[in-house]
Amino acid sequence: MRTATQPPAPRRTIDIVNASLKRRYARERRFRFMGAAAVALGLLFVAILFADITLKGYTAFQQTYIEVPVYFDPATIDPAGSRDPQALAAADYLAVVKASMRRLFPDVTERSQLRELYALVSAGAPQQLQSMALRHPGVIGTTRDVWLIAAGDVDMLVKGHLDRALPEADRRIKDSSILLLDRLAADGRIEKRFNTGFFTNGTSREPELAGIAGALAGTFYTLVLTLLFSFPLGVGAALYLQEFAPKNRWTDLIEVNINNLAAVPSIVFGLLGLAVFINFFGVPRSTPLVGALVLGLMTLPVIIIASRAALQSVPPSIREAALGVGASPLQTQFHHVLPLAMPGIMTGAIIGMARALGESAPLLMIGMIAFIVDVPQGFTDSATVLPVQIYLWADSPERGFVERTSAAILVLLGFLVLMNLAAVLLRRRFERRW
Amino acid sequence: MSTLASEIVRDTSAVSAADLARGGRVSGTIGDITTPDPRMVCRGVNVWYGAKQAIKDVGLDIGKNQVVAMIGPSGCGKSTFLRCLNRMNDTIDGCRVQGSIQLDGQEIYDKRVDPVPLRAQVGMVFQKPNPFPKSIYENVAYGPRIHGLTNSKAELDALVETSLQKAGLWNEVKDRLDQPGTGLSGGQQQRLCIARTIAVSPEVILMDEPCSALDPIATAIIEELIDELREQYAIAIVTHSMQQAARVSQRTAYFHLGDLVEVGETNQIFTNPQHRLTEDYITGRFG
Amino acid sequence: MLALLAVMALAYHGGRKRAITSAGGAGRISTLHSLPGYYGFYAALWAGIPALLLLGLWLGIQDHVVTGLVKSALPAQTLAGLSDSELGLLLNDVKNLASGSIVGGTVTPAIQAAADHFAHLQRLANWAMWLLVLAAAVSGMALAWGRTTPTMRARNRVESIVMGAMFLCSSIAILTTLGIILSVVFESLQFFEKIAPGEFFLGTLWSPQTAMRADQVAAAGAFGAVPLFTGTLLISFIAMAVAVPIGLMAAIYLSEYAPRHVRSVAKPLLEVLAGIPTVVYGFFAALTLAPVIRAIGESLGLQVASESALAAGLVMGIMIIPFVSSLSDDVINAVPQAMRDGSYALGATQSETIRRVVIPAALPGIVGGVLLAVSRAIGETMIVVMAAGLSANLTANPLASVTTVTVQIVTLLTGDQEFDSAKTLAAFALGLTLFLVTLVLNVIALHIVRKYREQYE
């Protein structure tokens, strides 16, 4: 036989194998190392990203205040002495602030120096005084120590984001201003406090006054509507496709469509919103309503796909049992299958909402980038959402906005973490093995 | 070697009704587990999957130029035992092997022994044909390539050809070596897997139910092939079919619930089994 | 709206009660064909659906009708010599005036009168609408009540309506696609009437600044989109160069090597990268990475643009890592263990098995995943809007500033622009290109992945 002519050489193989083994194991180790390095690199990116944002942003949760003895001069605020709220609201509080600052530093007299002195406190300081005077008219005529919001650059200097060691020309804040600040600090008149304004104010051109309340409200209205649009539609579509749809070309087409829509670039949805909802149907621009329509369409595939998976995991025996006692197919679905699939569907919906929460590109197309100071009050007010607010602030040149942007990102990430956590918990809590 | 064996093979006459009454627990193997001039020697092998013991104190020799068939009902541990012989169980999480398994006097579960060269010496053919998603040629050339067995393209070509010839596949595929191995019929795929194993010139070939996914004609071809391969290799085959064991093997080992119940010449096992369990299995009362 | 809901609730209760009485009291419900609640739903649906349809229809045409009436009522001399767009502005003024907001132009008595007329008509129309809608609801309810007899198959009718509604839900997906196609195609066609497709797809100069007024001296604008395409490709290429090796190797390590506890921690952590909003990546690219790259480049004596393609591409790559890794992980896990066993049984090491058996076997699936990732990279917007530039340079230098299709769409559409200028229409032409390219990529990729899955099922 052929096999018999072959020289028996069992030693040969093992010797050759052993000879090259070291090299092969070196390669094995290299490959393994590359894999581990890739994972480590990925995790490193996560760590860097979070560390960078946190380090940039955590200081924004504090705000520098300057304590100034303010004389609520009746001659300026309420010359008529009527205490009429309208008159009080219209008074020139900037003059009050300026006078108080001058009193604090009587030695500063030169014009340019005075301008620097006034610039230490925020442009929002007069408003602070105004609301004080309106709430407690009794302060008028008295001198009170008031913690005024410091200007953005002062805030940055106090927090150490501006480098004192830089030459004056490269710095946004002058040497003489620093001198004044140091005198204030020596008197204990500078303090960092929790920044409530960041959560209660709308946006502003001044970083120290800018807050995310407007964006949060806009996000809330938008997401509520998004959920209202996409959840019933998504569940209905999933029920139909998974349980009732005949297998034909139309349902095939729907299926292909859903999978594709999940992968269409979000900006294309923005174009759709602009051309169809705004220009064709006349839905008002920049509103949570149109934003929710667009985001709803975007989350629809996510919810449909998740709901179908959840429905699929309900065993057929449940359906057979229900049908067996004479329930109609629809009753079977609504009374038995749907409740059992609900945790899975909810998980999908939360994940879809989390994605909608982070989305910004399509909203740029439909005008949700307007500069809106007021907090929106309803679904048809002009509004912006948190990610878009982040985008807008990131474009602002002031150093103070870097901090605010990062803080806003932290808030956004916080919400995302909460939502994903909720999804995970929901899945754990209701996970069922059939 | 035989002294060791006789120590381990305990009192074989003691297996009796009392054992069977205790749920068929067997306290020892009947028959001679040794063979002259063995390639592999296994003694006191225990295997656990997590907390579950799959193999209980099994000893068996695998001899040169002979085929050992392992038979037994499903889940009896015969495949597990086979996979211990080239440490394929290493890839399974939570699998623990205890006892002595030697290849040519070398303990294969020794810490210093590397499964890579071991598997080059102890090849394996699986239940379902599993050709790689590559061409027929590349399937056979894979082993020689990774081990660097050949020095030139011509040598590799020759090795691929002889391996395919030994596996009896050459004439069927010589014109389409560059076509995917997955395109062959089931029987051809299994012979391709055998050719792939032969190409590394192992010393022992393990076969785990190699014909269970094949039709009778393909099975007959493979069985014939196994008989031819015996001239060069030591072969251990797990099979579900008693006829196959009777046709291809010289020795037969009967496994039952993790115990090796009985070992012996194939003829003797099939004509005159000693143990009740073996007899029941062979006569088709269960299994 | 509330009134409508109230009518529906009333219809439900009435329908239910009628059903019970028609059966002869609460004790004889079993003689009804369906449960009483279904008769209630039946009535409620009859009350609600026609009324809602009417409401929608009315809202759709009311504006047109009212505007038409106001226009015809405007004095002729006001209309004389107005172009269409000026007329539109005028009507807009009228509407704004009527709703009490600030008006751009001067308010002539004629316009004031028109505004009053408009407000009057508007009020009238609103009243008429609600009256009609409620009438429709009530008559629907009455009709349904009239039909309520013990033999009526209320459940079947309600169910077929629900089925129809669910069918409509599932068709939304197709409507969306259709909406996308129609909206971009329609505007793109208008664009290609002004700019030849050849110039758009082959031209190498992109400068979409058209003159705002006819007497302006500014250039007519150039719409050669090639630099946009190359810029998109350059950034996508950088992103893939980061994401594919790291994602693939991470997937291999996690699915083949990593102990279970490492996998259970590292995998979700990596997927965190996929959950971070893109605007965050954009911020990171623009404010953290770009200055770093610039500093490194300058220390090496290289000219680095402050908005380099490299920064945007790298960060986009980081974003796509989990995308590549989870898709690869899926396909690698789908490779049957028998393949690996076959390789190990021949004495292959783990890396040899992975490189020579597992990866080739998983290749189609991996390619599909990478194509999906490419389509993500091409369509990604926020990162490039924030970190890549606006200047349309035709270059392959990753340190230079390039712009992308998505950046230009955003820039063209976020300014205040007339809607039918070539500039805004160009955005839709770009959108069409983007949609088609990603659609083709997605269809191919999804097809490959599905075929691959079927192969091993």
Side-chain angles (χ1 to χ4, degrees):
Chain A
M1 290 217 61
R2 281 188 303 270
T3 48
T5 60
Q6 196 71 18
R11 284 284 106 203
R12 219 173 65 96
T13 298
I14 187 63
D15 291 341
I16 297 171
V17 170
N18 282 334
S20 64
L21 214 52
K22 229 172 135 180
R23 199 160 35 80
R24 287 170 64 192
Y25 271 115
R27 220 181 295 150
E28 167 80 25
R29 274 194 301 277
R30 258 202 315 278
F31 189 74
R32 209 189 152 116
F33 172 77
M34 272 161 58
V39 175
L41 211 57
L43 297 182
L44 185 72
F45 288 143
V46 179
I48 290 179
L49 209 62
F50 275 88
D52 181 62
I53 305 279
T54 312
L55 285 179
K56 279 198 178 116
Y58 80 97
T59 48
F61 294 112
Q62 285 200 316
Q63 171 69 45
T64 308
Y65 287 83
I66 300 176
E67 191 190 36
V68 179
V70 176
Y71 174 55
F72 288 86
D73 189 355
T76 322
I77 299 173
D78 193 17
S82 64
R83 297 291 188 266
D84 171 25
Q86 233 165 11
L88 291 185
D92 181 7
Y93 291 94
L94 184 60
V96 179
V97 172
K98 283 181 176 172
S100 309
M101 291 306 281
R102 271 199 308 274
R103 255 194 306 282
L104 201 55
F105 290 101
D107 53 324
V108 178
T109 49
E110 202 208 326
R111 263 185 90 120
S112 68
Q113 286 240 306
L114 274 175
R115 214 176 304 130
E116 270 175 48
L117 179 65
Y118 301 151
L120 290 183
V121 293
S122 162
Q127 214 160 7
Q128 257 182 301
L129 298 185
Q130 183 202 37
S131 68
M132 268 181 86
L134 282 177
R135 216 173 314 134
H136 312 287
V139 297
I140 296 169
T142 63
T143 301
R144 298 286 170 101
D145 279 341
V146 182
W147 288 97
L148 293 177
I149 299 173
D153 290 334
V154 173
D155 189 37
M156 287 298 104
L157 184 85
V158 172
K159 287 172 179 169
H161 291 310
L162 290 181
D163 191 357
R164 284 166 184 252
L166 281 176
E168 189 175 6
D170 296 351
R171 220 188 299 127
R172 288 185 56 95
I173 195 159
K174 290 222 172 95
D175 279 344
S176 44
S177 301
I178 293 183
L179 231 58
L180 294 175
L181 278 175
D182 286 344
R183 280 170 62 188
L184 282 171
D187 290 350
R189 289 187 179 278
I190 290 186
E191 207 174 280
K192 281 191 285 183
R193 295 177 169 190
F194 183 71
N195 188 359
T196 47
F198 183 66
F199 297 98
T200 54
N201 293 349
T203 185
S204 164
R205 304 246 183 248
E206 310 293 333
E208 72 273 14
L209 298 177
I212 55 172
L216 279 181
T219 299
F220 173 76
Y221 291 127
T222 309
L223 282 191
V224 165
L225 277 187
T226 304
L227 189 65
L228 284 181
F229 289 142
S230 58
F231 190 75
L233 285 179
V235 175
L239 256 181
Y240 181 75
L241 289 175
Q242 189 65 28
E243 306 285 342
F244 297 110
K247 255 277 165 247
N248 58 24
R249 300 184 95 170
W250 179 251
T251 46
D252 273 355
L253 187 67
I254 293 178
E255 202 130 326
V256 171
N257 250 297
I258 289 171
N259 286 330
N260 267 320
L261 281 181
V264 164
S266 57
I267 189 167
V268 173
F269 281 93
L271 290 176
L272 166 83
L274 179 58
V276 173
F277 294 136
I278 295 181
N279 286 330
F280 190 72
F281 286 119
V283 180
R285 230 173 120 88
S286 306
T287 55
L289 178 65
V290 66
L293 284 172
V294 170
L295 291 179
L297 287 184
M298 286 185 63
T299 33
L300 203 55
V302 179
I303 294 185
I304 293 180
I305 291 169
S307 306
R308 291 189 62 174
L311 288 171
Q312 200 164 26
S313 71
V314 176
S317 59
I318 303 276
R319 298 179 182 86
E320 283 155 13
L323 290 172
V325 297
S328 74
L330 213 64
Q331 286 172 326
T332 307
Q333 294 302 328
F334 280 101
H335 297 172
H336 300 281
V337 179
L338 205 54
L340 288 172
M342 223 9 128
I345 296 176
M346 300 279 277
T347 312
I350 294 176
I351 289 170
M353 284 302 112
R355 271 188 41 184
L357 171 61
E359 197 55 71
S360 36
L363 303 182
L364 301 185
M365 306 279 86
I366 51 173
M368 292 189 84
I369 55 168
F371 178 83
I372 295 144
V373 180
D374 299 324
V375 175
Q377 301 298 328
F379 298 115
T380 49
D381 283 357
S382 281
T384 190
V385 294
L386 199 48
V388 176
Q389 186 70 74
I390 290 167
Y391 163 70
L392 291 171
W393 281 355
D395 255 6
S396 306
E398 284 94 346
R399 179 63 186 78
F401 272 119
V402 173
E403 181 194 81
R404 302 281 155 155
T405 315
S406 307
I409 289 177
L410 286 177
V411 173
L412 178 63
L413 290 179
F415 277 118
L416 285 175
V417 167
L418 280 183
M419 288 171 89
N420 282 301
L421 217 59
V424 170
L425 288 180
L426 201 66
R427 197 177 300 160
R428 286 249 174 92
R429 174 84 178 70
F430 291 101
E431 197 167 48
R432 221 185 276 246
R433 291 258 161 265
W434 299 98
Chain B
M1 200 61 75
S2 59
T3 51
L4 176 69
S6 59
E7 277 164 27
I8 287 176
V9 179
R10 278 156 302 181
D11 188 11
T12 53
S13 59
V15 184
S16 60
D19 275 332
L20 293 175
R22 275 183 271 123
R25 176 77 182 88
V26 185
S27 52
T29 306
I30 301 176
D32 186 6
I33 61 166
T34 66
T35 185
D37 193 13
R39 259 297 136 72
M40 299 196 79
V41 177
C42 314
R43 293 295 177 265
V45 177
N46 288 297
V47 180
W48 285 269
Y49 290 124
K52 187 180 167 287
Q53 187 165 13
I55 298 279
K56 297 163 195 157
D57 193 22
V58 167
L60 187 64
D61 284 3
I62 293 160
K64 222 174 224 169
N65 303 339
Q66 66 168 208
V67 178
V68 181
M70 302 175 191
I71 59 171
S74 310
C76 67
K78 51 195 195 297
S79 285
T80 303
F81 180 66
L82 194 75
R83 289 171 71 95
C84 290
L85 298 179
N86 70 344
R87 294 184 56 173
M88 280 306 286
N89 282 337
D90 288 14
T91 58
I92 297 171
D93 276 348
C95 177
R96 209 148 44 80
V97 179
Q98 207 181 57
S100 154
I101 301 176
Q102 295 182 346
L103 173 67
D104 293 333
Q106 167 75 42
E107 195 61 58
I108 68 168
Y109 275 91
D110 192 296
K111 277 204 180 63
R112 281 161 305 177
V113 168
D114 180 350
V116 167
L118 169 74
R119 289 175 191 149
Q121 289 171 283
V122 184
M124 188 160 190
V125 176
F126 296 87
Q127 185 170 2
K128 245 181 86 190
N130 57 349
F132 302 134
K134 298 165 178 276
S135 71
I136 293 169
Y137 180 93
E138 286 299 324
N139 259 287
V140 182
Y142 178 76
R145 279 226 172 106
I146 56 173
H147 294 302
L149 296 184
T150 53
N151 297 318
S152 66
K153 174 88 172 100
E155 245 181 277
L156 186 62
D157 286 351
L159 182 57
V160 169
E161 184 179 337
T162 48
S163 306
L164 282 169
Q165 273 171 348
K166 282 192 213 170
L169 196 60
W170 176 250
N171 288 329
E172 290 162 55
V173 300
K174 64 183 172 199
D175 300 325
R176 44 173 174 150
L177 288 176
D178 54 346
Q179 282 175 24
T182 43
L184 296 172
S185 74
Q188 288 174 323
Q189 286 191 11
Q190 196 61 299
R191 277 180 283 154
L192 180 62
C193 293
I194 294 175
R196 187 173 75 184
T197 310
I198 297 171
V200 247
S201 345
E203 293 160 43
V204 181
I205 299 179
L206 311 174
M207 297 188 174
D208 188 358
E209 304 197 33
C211 301
S212 66
L214 305 182
D215 62 73
I217 297 171
T219 304
I221 296 173
I222 302 265
E223 285 178 2
E224 216 170 293
L225 176 61
I226 293 172
D227 204 44
E228 279 174 33
L229 292 173
R230 175 165 68 91
E231 291 173 21
Q232 254 191 298
Y233 308 100
I235 296 176
I237 177 171
V238 163
T239 175
H240 213 75
S241 143
M242 281 172 283
Q243 289 80 2
Q244 185 170 64
R247 284 194 297 264
V248 300
S249 71
Q250 281 72 52
R251 289 168 70 226
T252 297
Y254 173 68
F255 282 76
H256 187 90
L257 296 175
D259 291 297
L260 177 52
V261 176
E262 185 169 354
V263 186
E265 295 291 318
T266 301
N267 272 338
Q268 175 256 314
I269 293 279
F270 279 95
T271 52
N272 183 23
Q274 302 294 308
H275 196 291
R276 266 269 307 282
L277 285 169
T278 319
E279 194 185 340
D280 286 354
Y281 182 69
I282 284 171
T283 52
R285 245 167 258 167
F286 63 84
Chain C
M1 206 68 213
L2 277 176
L4 191 56
L5 283 177
V7 172
M8 284 175 72
L10 180 71
Y12 173 82
H13 276 287
R16 206 169 153 257
K17 212 167 266 157
R18 262 189 96 84
I20 295 173
T21 38
S22 75
R28 301 197 45 201
I29 286 175
S30 56
T31 59
L32 285 172
H33 172 270
S34 314
L35 288 172
Y38 281 104
Y39 292 91
F41 277 125
Y42 180 71
L45 287 174
W46 257 108
I49 292 175
L52 278 176
L53 284 180
L54 187 68
L55 180 67
L57 195 70
W58 189 285
L59 283 176
I61 58 170
Q62 174 184 336
D63 198 49
H64 286 280
V65 173
V66 171
T67 311
L69 285 174
V70 170
K71 202 165 80 182
S72 61
L74 274 176
Q77 71 266 31
T78 328
L79 290 176
L82 285 180
S83 72
D84 270 2
S85 61
E86 282 169 312
L87 183 64
L89 279 175
L90 185 73
L91 285 172
N92 216 16
D93 275 358
V94 170
K95 284 179 200 171
N96 281 338
L97 199 61
S99 62
S101 10
I102 308 131
V103 189
T106 47
V107 182
T108 63
I111 293 179
Q112 185 63 54
D116 292 342
H117 185 48
F118 179 82
H120 174 69
L121 281 177
Q122 198 76 295
R123 264 194 306 278
L124 203 69
N126 273 333
W127 273 109
M129 176 182 78
W130 286 115
L131 221 63
L132 262 176
V133 165
L134 284 181
V138 171
S139 53
M141 174 173 75
L143 188 72
W145 284 358
R147 286 193 180 179
T148 302
T149 57
T151 50
M152 193 192 67
R153 297 153 66 85
R155 199 200 71 225
N156 302 45
R157 290 181 189 204
V158 170
E159 287 190 348
S160 60
I161 291 173
V162 173
M163 278 296 243
M166 291 199 315
F167 176 74
L168 284 182
C169 288
S170 66
S171 304
I172 292 271
I174 290 191
L175 285 180
T176 309
T177 310
L178 213 64
I180 290 175
I181 293 173
L182 284 183
S183 58
V184 289
V185 165
F186 191 66
E187 312 289 349
S188 300
L189 284 181
Q190 287 189 27
F191 174 74
F192 288 128
E193 268 169 24
K194 299 187 182 188
I195 312 285
E199 189 198 329
F200 179 72
F201 288 111
L202 301 173
T204 54
L205 185 67
W206 178 265
S207 146
Q209 300 310 324
T210 41
M212 291 287 281
R213 298 190 310 275
D215 56 330
Q216 240 171 342
V217 278
F223 292 94
V226 171
L228 272 53
F229 300 147
T230 57
T232 308
L233 288 181
L234 177 64
I235 290 182
S236 304
F237 179 79
I238 296 170
M240 299 317 288
V242 173
V244 171
I246 295 183
L248 189 56
M249 284 310 290
I252 289 172
Y253 185 79
L254 289 179
S255 63
E256 301 279 329
Y257 284 108
R260 192 169 302 165
H261 62 276
V262 173
R263 181 183 158 88
S264 67
V265 173
K267 206 168 138 65
L269 271 181
L270 267 187
E271 267 155 24
V272 165
L273 284 174
I276 295 176
T278 51
V279 68
V280 178
Y281 283 108
F283 177 74
F284 180 74
L287 273 98
T288 306
L289 195 63
V292 169
I293 288 177
R294 217 185 136 113
I296 294 174
E298 268 163 12
S299 71
L300 296 173
L302 294 170
Q303 189 76 43
V304 184
S306 61
E307 294 179 318
S308 62
L310 191 59
L314 282 179
V315 170
M316 197 190 283
I318 294 175
M319 179 192 84
I320 294 177
I321 288 173
F323 200 70
V324 174
S325 80
S326 66
L327 280 169
S328 310
D329 197 53
D330 283 354
V331 295
I332 287 173
N333 281 329
V335 173
Q337 182 64 25
M339 292 283 171
R340 296 184 181 85
D341 282 352
S343 174
Y344 291 138
L346 289 169
T349 63
Q350 207 169 351
S351 68
E352 285 160 353
T353 303
I354 294 165
R355 269 188 314 198
R356 291 167 173 242
V357 176
V358 177
I359 298 295
L363 200 59
I366 292 174
V367 168
V370 168
L371 284 184
L372 278 181
V374 170
S375 129
R376 280 278 303 259
I378 291 176
E380 171 48 42
T381 307
M382 291 319 286
I383 294 178
V384 281
V385 165
M386 294 170 83
L390 287 173
S391 49
N393 294 323
L394 188 57
T395 174
N397 177 8
L399 301 177
S401 163
V402 296
T403 191
T404 72
V405 173
T406 48
V407 171
Q408 288 305 319
I409 295 178
V410 170
T411 341
L412 293 177
L413 286 181
T414 48
D416 293 326
Q417 276 287 320
E418 277 179 80
F419 196 67
D420 48 1
S421 77
K423 199 173 151 182
T424 42
L425 291 177
F428 284 90
L430 288 174
L432 176 65
T433 319
L434 180 67
F435 178 69
L436 288 182
V437 170
T438 51
L439 183 73
V440 169
L441 279 175
N442 293 341
V443 169
I444 295 176
L446 290 171
H447 182 74
I448 292 178
V449 171
R450 198 169 56 214
K451 273 266 141 34
Y452 170 80
R453 292 250 164 82
E454 282 167 5
Q455 185 192 331
Y456 288 121
E457 258 164 19

